[in-house]
Amino acid sequence: MIAGLGPFELLIILGLALLVFGPKNLPKLGKSLGKTVKNIREGMDGDDESASEQPAEDVEEEKVASDGDSDAPMVFCSKCGEKNAQADEFCHKCGAKLHVSE
């Protein structure tokens, strides 16, 4: 028994889903439902770990960004959201062209 449902009830639910969504869309629906459940589980489990386990690369990038002048104007990349100096023409993280309004 899955979630208190017997095999007959599961077959009825599967048959209704097949009628509503069709045979072409049912695998897509199952795949997206599985991804959603996985993301929810990772989100619930990852809240405590994500704050304490920051990759070393991110820590080094933050140090480099904080070593410069704090008064220097910064521009955010529209593609990746990374902070860049206003004088930069391209993002140092993703390489996208920065749109600097002067």
Side-chain angles (χ1 to χ4, degrees), residues 11-85:
L11 285 174
I12 291 175
I13 292 171
L14 182 62
L16 288 174
L18 186 63
L19 284 173
V20 172
F21 297 108
K24 291 183 180 179
N25 294 330
L26 199 56
K28 294 177 189 175
L29 179 70
K31 183 178 180 180
S32 64
L33 182 63
K35 284 183 178 180
T36 302
V37 170
K38 180 182 175 186
N39 288 337
I40 290 172
R41 285 184 182 170
E42 286 177 355
M44 291 174 64
D45 292 340
D47 286 343
D48 299 334
E49 296 173 5
S50 64
S52 63
E53 295 180 10
Q54 187 177 16
E57 293 176 4
D58 292 342
V59 174
E60 289 177 15
E61 286 180 11
E62 287 177 8
K63 287 180 183 177
V64 169
S66 64
D67 288 343
D69 286 332
S70 59
D71 297 335
M74 301 299 281
V75 176
F76 290 95
C77 177
S78 60
K79 186 174 180 183
C80 68
E82 186 70 23
K83 284 196 291 187
N84 295 283

Side-chain angles (χ1 to χ4, degrees), residues 1-17:
M1 291 174 93
I2 299 173
L5 299 174
F8 184 69
E9 288 89 359
L10 291 174
L11 285 174
I12 291 175
I13 292 171
L14 182 62
L16 288 174

